[in-house]
Amino acid sequence: MKAHDGMYIDGAWRPAAGTDTIEVVNPADEQVIDRVPAGTAEDVDAAVRAARAALPGWAATAPAERGTVIGALRDALAARREEIAETVTAELGSPLPFSRKVHADLPVAVAGSYAELAATYAFEEKVGNSTVHLEPIGVVGAITPWNYPLHQIVAKVAPALAAGCTVVLKPAEDTPLVAQLFAEAVDEAGVPAGVFNLVTGLGTVAGQALAAHDGVDLVSFTGSTAVGRSIGATAGVALKKVALELGGKSANVILPSADLAKAVNVGVANVMSNSGQTCSAWTRMLVHTSQYEQAVELAAEAAAKYGERIGPLVNAKQRQRVRSYIEKGVAEGARLVVGGPESPREQGYFVSPTVFADVTPGMTIAQEEIFGPVLSILRYEDEADALRIANGTVYGLAGAVWAGEEAEAVAFARRMDTGQVDINGGRFNPQAPFGGYKQSGVGRELGAHGLAEYLQTKSLQF
Ligand code: NAD
């Protein structure tokens, strides 16, 4: 693992303006593994200036050429697969096989999709006597979280570069090392100086300075609803564009005609993967009253199997937060079937896979995002009841529907207030638009829809 004591600005590693550092801790054993500089407003300003200076040249580069550079970035990431996986395992704690398959491979697929899209996307269209040009929005301030640390970086940087934008990235303070690896890959790929810049630092210092900077045209943020709201407010005052990927409380709706065992097993795996730190996780399982106890038993068995395989949560604060939610679930009368608030190990920020039954829609654990390996199983009486419960939160990021016939599941999914629904276990598609209804966010990421977020239109009349 290569440590840097600087920021990646204008195509080179430069010393930070200040001397403060942030400790990077391995959540599996609580040991400090590295330190990165804690950037200040001064570092952010230098990075934004570099991005502004590089903008005209990059925006004028032919899209196919931008695609070639993004292709080289994809290759550089692919070549570092093992280093990326080991780094994410060290700073996030996810088990190595998951780090390889998801944290390292998914960003390669997403970068590849933008290498292709840059070359094929219609950046110009005819509308009657007008030609409409889709032009880059400008300098992008990207602020990313720790839960899918490289994926969330690539899901912002790759489409921004494809669009012709330049970028300043402020990654999460818990997972800055994989962001540094990303900057190394950018450098290797021959991305021109200033087109991509990295400033590590605290959200309340470097993040806030980036979101508020006059030289930033679009802020793209993924993280908590509270911070997203404050970034949206700052951007609103400055009349700056924002893209926000926020929280979720997605429903896994199992209709009575479904293959119950499959729906429950896939549903449990969905919630437990990445230790429950997935914004689109189906943390509410909705089961018809006639199949309820059977589903609870199946879920308990499936969750118990995760005991040994599950990684820790990212830090002590998140562990405390998740434990408090489990305690609240018990206090509000939910039935604890598996797991609980006690630490399963002496060292590391581990939380046991936890399943609650007899959860009612108004309970805190059925409404708020827990961000840990905690599943709530709710009971519904009929389809109308299931729909009311599924749509009954402030969130609308994802969801799942299971039924004997695909058409029955699709009909239900079309009535859900949510941005993504997996039908009978449909696979994640890294080119399908990803983003939220309601308070789950503003805008979409991935694929052509994700590219459009970084473009603005200019009409020429003839
Ligand atoms: P957070 O929103 O505080 O952090 C996300 C990013 O925003 C980080 O890079 C952080 O440094 C930055 N940030 C923090 N405060 C900022 C500010 N005032 N201005 C600008 N940037 C700022 O998230 P967290 O505290 O790490 O996690 C808390 C909760 O957020 C989790 O429990 C979970 O519910 C939710 N979360 C959601 C997602 C998601 O993918 N939607 C990801 C991570 C966390």
Side-chain angles (χ1 to χ4, degrees):
M1 214 173 291
K2 189 170 163 194
H4 289 282
D5 51 7
M7 310 294 183
Y8 185 74
I9 296 176
D10 206 12
W13 291 95
R14 296 169 195 279
T19 51
D20 287 354
T21 57
I22 296 172
E23 286 184 345
V24 185
V25 174
N26 183 333
D29 62 12
E30 305 178 34
Q31 301 301 306
V32 175
I33 51 171
D34 216 331
R35 281 180 179 78
V36 297
T40 58
E42 219 177 306
D43 299 299
V44 168
D45 189 53
V48 173
R49 281 169 194 275
R52 275 242 85 83
L55 181 63
W58 185 246
T61 303
E65 215 174 301
R66 297 199 296 255
T68 305
V69 172
I70 299 167
L73 173 59
R74 172 205 53 212
D75 295 346
L77 293 173
R80 287 171 175 266
R81 182 187 196 228
E82 199 56 26
E83 199 182 352
I84 288 169
E86 282 171 11
T87 301
V88 175
T89 289
E91 61 185 354
L92 176 67
S94 58
L96 198 53
F98 189 80
S99 294
R100 288 193 185 109
K101 234 179 89 183
V102 178
H103 293 301
D105 288 353
L106 179 57
V108 171
V110 172
S113 77
Y114 282 111
E116 207 178 305
L117 265 170
T120 56
Y121 193 80
F123 287 98
E124 198 182 305
E125 62 187 35
K126 291 265 180 224
V127 181
N129 64 315
S130 303
T131 302
V132 180
H133 293 270
L134 281 79
E135 301 186 337
I137 254 174
V139 173
V140 173
I143 301 175
T144 54
W146 39 262
N147 55 331
Y148 288 88
L150 185 59
H151 168 64
Q152 282 142 337
I153 289 171
V154 172
K156 297 188 190 310
V157 176
L161 298 192
C165 295
T166 58
V167 181
V168 177
L169 167 69
K170 205 303 280 175
E173 36 276 69
D174 287 299
T175 54
L177 302 179
V178 75
Q180 293 184 332
L181 283 184
F182 177 76
E184 287 179 10
V186 163
D187 200 69
E188 274 167 29
V191 175
V195 170
F196 169 82
N197 307 275
L198 169 71
V199 175
T200 52
L202 297 174
T204 46
V205 181
Q208 210 157 318
L210 181 59
H213 200 292
D214 284 344
V216 170
D217 301 297
L218 168 91
V219 183
S220 179
F221 168 81
T222 301
S224 63
T225 304
V227 174
R229 190 172 277 130
S230 110
I231 286 176
T234 306
V237 171
L239 291 179
K240 210 178 271 185
K241 306 232 167 12
V242 279
L244 306 171
E245 292 292 336
L246 309 176
K249 192 73 195 172
S250 298
N252 178 16
V253 182
I254 305 175
L255 296 174
S257 60
D259 176 341
L260 183 68
K262 186 174 175 202
V264 170
N265 282 319
V266 174
V268 169
N270 174 286
V271 173
M272 302 306 162
S273 91
N274 213 35
S275 304
Q277 303 167 121
T278 304
C279 48
S280 54
W282 314 327
T283 48
R284 296 178 298 146
M285 184 182 283
L286 275 57
V287 183
H288 189 261
T289 191
S290 64
Q291 298 172 320
Y292 191 78
E293 285 310 326
Q294 198 189 344
V296 170
E297 247 171 64
L298 287 165
E301 268 170 44
K305 282 194 208 136
Y306 274 85
E308 292 304 308
R309 276 189 285 151
I310 204 159
L313 298 189
V314 70
N315 58 36
K317 190 173 138 215
Q318 283 300 113
R319 179 182 57 183
Q320 188 44 44
R321 209 180 118 96
V322 173
R323 278 186 181 162
S324 309
Y325 273 116
I326 297 175
E327 281 161 4
K328 200 149 201 174
V330 173
E332 290 184 5
R335 169 163 51 113
L336 187 60
V337 185
V338 172
E342 301 78 29
S343 261
R345 303 195 201 182
E346 275 182 15
Q347 230 189 5
Y349 309 125
F350 291 87
V351 170
S352 295
T354 297
V355 175
F356 278 111
D358 298 342
V359 178
T360 54
M363 286 181 184
T364 307
I365 56 167
Q367 288 294 326
E368 295 183 14
E369 184 173 52
I370 298 175
F371 236 59
V374 182
L375 171 68
S376 295
I377 311 183
L378 294 93
R379 183 192 299 270
Y380 67 82
E381 301 296 331
D382 55 30
E383 242 183 64
D385 194 28
L387 190 67
R388 198 166 42 241
I389 297 169
N391 287 339
T393 75
V394 296
Y395 294 114
L397 189 54
V401 185
W402 302 79
E405 297 294 328
E406 207 169 272
E408 188 191 356
V410 169
F412 191 96
R414 293 296 305 270
R415 291 185 287 158
M416 289 169 80
D417 301 332
T418 191
Q420 289 231 337
V421 185
D422 294 351
I423 304 294
N424 283 340
R427 274 178 307 122
F428 179 72
N429 176 0
Q431 296 196 53
F434 182 91
Y437 281 32
K438 302 192 278 184
Q439 289 184 24
S440 285
V442 175
R444 293 292 179 270
E445 292 198 308
L446 303 179
H449 291 265
L451 176 54
E453 292 288 331
Y454 297 93
L455 295 167
Q456 54 190 346
T457 56
K458 180 182 286 169
S459 308
L460 303 184
Q461 281 63 247
F462 295 90

